[in-house]
Amino acid sequence: MNSSTTETPIVDLSVQEHAAAPPKTGRLAAASSIGTALEWYDFTVYNIMAALIFNHVFFPSFDPLVGTILAFSTYAVGYVSRPIGGIVFGHLGDVLGRRFVLVATLVIMGVTTTLMGLLPGYASWGIWSPLLLVALRFIQGIALGGEWAGAVLLSMEHGKPHQRGRNASFAQVGPSCGSLIGTGLITLVTMAMSADDFQQWGWRIPFLLSLVLVIFGLWLRRGVGETPAFLQLEASKDVTQSPIREVFTQHPRSLLIAGGSRIGSDVLYALVVVFTLTYVTTVLNLPRPLALTATMLGAIGNAITVPMFGALSDRFGRRPVYIGGALAGIVWAFAFFVLLDSSQPVLICTAVVVGLLIHAAMFGPQAAFITEQFPTRVRYAGSSLAYTLAGIVGGGFAPLIIASLFTSFDSTLAISAYVAVALLITLWALLAARETAHTPL
């Protein structure tokens, strides 16, 4: 009895010491967002190349639009493999800690993207070239499946309880930053060389430069320790050894709600960012820089407003802010193509910018909303599974479905209806959930 009472204060004091000196907000935000920035830098570079280049480099024997659809199919592979990463790294994140996983996933993402930039085209290696592209995409997806939840928990579990929405949204800024960097770099490269040079070798440069983000990210994350919430679990010896099984057996409802909340925002993003590049350049036959400029402007607005909507969810609740974004997204899914079809640069930019501001209204509170559905001992595994499984249904096949719908119906109305249905699924999840903004973790 006496030994027990002397041990408890020592354990609690240790945890309090870790929590008493949290990393500075700036470093915490950067360390949290760098992984998702790299993730979406890689994805943006791949998306743009899939829309503009890969149908020539890896699928040259097909009709241009069919080649684009095949390129988007390899894009989907990166989403299909994500649940594997969610299972593997979700388990490790709840057993070994958040920080360990975040270093491993960052390295894997950087290496696979660099290898994509070194991969010979179909003319050199034949069928092995697209097969290896798919394999690298698969491995990359595994790493991405474990990255997001850890990045969110790094900032949310280190931060103050009443700022969880804002702090969790730091990881959500990464996609816009990554998209902005990727789009901006590709724009500079395309402006600096001829179209033939870009198709021959210039497209490789953005892939190879992802190593710079990896090195910077590893330096940032070295300065951020393990989260107080996980340290508390270790101190109380409450670390689970079977987090995946526990999620499926004890938290299936939370898994459905958390996953459903993501589907609509992913499909809207695929429409506004991914398909816009194909539609503007292939269907409207407008200059490529116009589509890239619209995407960059939208990414800037998205990056600025995501933390703002995250902070609003701390004040008004996750659900009201999130629901408002979903409802606005349904309206914009139909207005979007009206603006694009005008072929006016200002209206095209407006369509993309407003679309990404609506996306930010959902994306801001999303990270906190998803992770708050699960208790600390399975939070990494539960969040990873919800995020990655929903990613397949939402973002993974969205570009492929959108392109296929347009090919089949030769109309944008079917695309708008598809986006609206995805957002209705998100609304269902939000209405079925309980408000979590002001409840303790």
Side-chain angles (χ1 to χ4, degrees):
M1 176 76 80
N2 289 339
S3 62
S4 174
T5 55
T6 56
E7 287 176 2
T8 303
I10 295 175
V11 171
D12 289 342
L13 179 60
S14 172
V15 176
Q16 289 171 2
E17 285 173 353
H18 283 285
K24 293 181 179 180
T25 301
R27 176 125 192 178
L28 188 62
S32 175
S33 63
I34 188 62
T36 50
L38 174 63
E39 169 190 350
W40 282 92
Y41 170 85
D42 294 346
F43 265 39
T44 298
V45 170
Y46 187 94
N47 294 343
I48 294 174
M49 299 309 176
L52 305 177
I53 296 295
F54 282 179
N55 57 341
H56 303 292
V57 177
F58 295 104
F59 308 97
S61 60
F62 295 93
D63 172 84
L65 190 55
V66 175
T68 300
I69 291 174
L70 289 173
F72 281 155
S73 298
T74 60
Y75 167 87
V77 168
Y79 275 89
V80 172
S81 60
R82 280 187 175 198
I84 299 175
I87 292 171
V88 173
F89 291 113
H91 173 85
L92 295 175
D94 281 325
V95 174
L96 300 180
R98 305 2 179 165
R99 190 172 180 270
F100 166 81
V101 172
L102 287 174
V103 172
T105 54
L106 200 64
V107 172
I108 295 173
M109 280 193 293
V111 170
T112 52
T113 305
T114 302
L115 290 176
M116 285 181 188
L118 297 173
L119 190 63
Y122 189 93
S124 299
W125 281 17
I127 191 63
W128 288 104
S129 183
L131 286 178
L132 287 172
L133 178 67
V134 171
L136 289 172
R137 187 73 177 153
F138 189 85
I139 296 171
Q140 185 187 58
I142 291 175
L144 299 179
E147 164 67 29
W148 179 83
V152 172
L153 297 182
L154 188 71
S155 57
M156 191 175 81
E157 291 183 347
H158 266 297
K160 297 177 180 178
H162 66 281
Q163 294 178 328
R164 292 200 306 258
R166 187 205 66 173
N167 291 342
S169 72
F170 291 153
Q172 303 289 76
V173 175
S176 291
C177 293
S179 298
L180 183 61
I181 296 170
T183 305
L185 183 59
I186 291 174
T187 302
L188 290 176
V189 172
T190 54
M191 292 174 62
M193 61 180 62
S194 66
D196 288 339
D197 286 341
F198 182 74
Q199 184 169 317
Q200 289 295 321
W201 59 271
W203 66 268
R204 300 180 183 275
I205 295 174
F207 284 97
L208 299 176
L209 288 179
S210 68
L211 274 179
V212 176
L213 283 175
V214 173
I215 295 170
F216 181 58
L218 290 174
W219 172 77
L220 279 174
R221 287 182 172 173
R222 282 187 60 191
V224 179
E226 188 53 79
T227 70
F230 185 79
L231 291 172
Q232 181 71 59
L233 277 182
E234 286 188 316
S236 61
K237 302 191 185 321
D238 194 33
V239 175
T240 178
Q241 297 303 310
S242 304
I244 303 298
R245 184 180 64 183
E246 198 168 315
V247 169
F248 281 113
T249 57
Q250 299 183 26
H251 307 283
R253 184 177 185 275
S254 297
L255 192 60
L256 285 173
I257 288 174
S261 70
R262 184 191 172 188
I263 291 173
S265 62
D266 272 14
V267 174
L268 180 66
Y269 186 90
L271 169 68
V272 175
V273 175
V274 182
F275 187 68
T276 295
L277 294 169
T278 300
Y279 191 78
V280 170
T281 58
T282 305
V283 179
L284 299 179
N285 293 314
L286 295 174
R288 183 183 303 170
L290 171 60
L292 295 175
T293 299
T295 302
M296 284 192 293
L297 291 174
I300 292 172
N302 190 273
I304 293 173
T305 55
V306 161
M308 293 170 56
F309 284 112
L312 283 175
S313 76
D314 284 326
R315 182 173 182 181
F316 300 107
R318 315 283 182 239
R319 295 166 74 241
V321 177
Y322 212 144
I323 288 172
L327 291 172
I330 292 174
V331 174
W332 204 246
F334 293 92
F336 184 74
F337 284 107
V338 175
L339 297 178
L340 257 57
D341 289 339
S342 71
S343 295
Q344 297 297 315
V346 173
L347 295 181
I348 291 173
C349 289
T350 299
V352 175
V353 170
V354 174
L356 284 177
L357 290 178
I358 292 171
H359 175 265
M362 293 182 282
F363 218 48
Q366 182 184 91
F369 177 85
I370 291 176
T371 52
E372 286 169 350
Q373 304 304 311
F374 304 95
T376 303
R377 58 186 273 119
V378 296
R379 187 169 295 131
Y380 203 126
S383 302
S384 292
L385 286 170
Y387 196 76
T388 55
L389 291 173
I392 297 177
V393 181
F397 288 104
L400 176 61
I401 292 172
I402 289 172
S404 299
L405 285 173
F406 186 76
T407 303
S408 300
F409 294 96
D410 194 26
S411 169
T412 59
L413 185 60
I415 297 174
S416 299
Y418 164 60
V419 176
V421 169
L423 287 164
L424 286 173
I425 294 173
T426 288
L427 281 172
W428 164 83
L430 295 171
L431 294 173
R434 295 182 295 271
E435 182 56 63
T436 55
H438 306 116
T439 57
L441 285 176

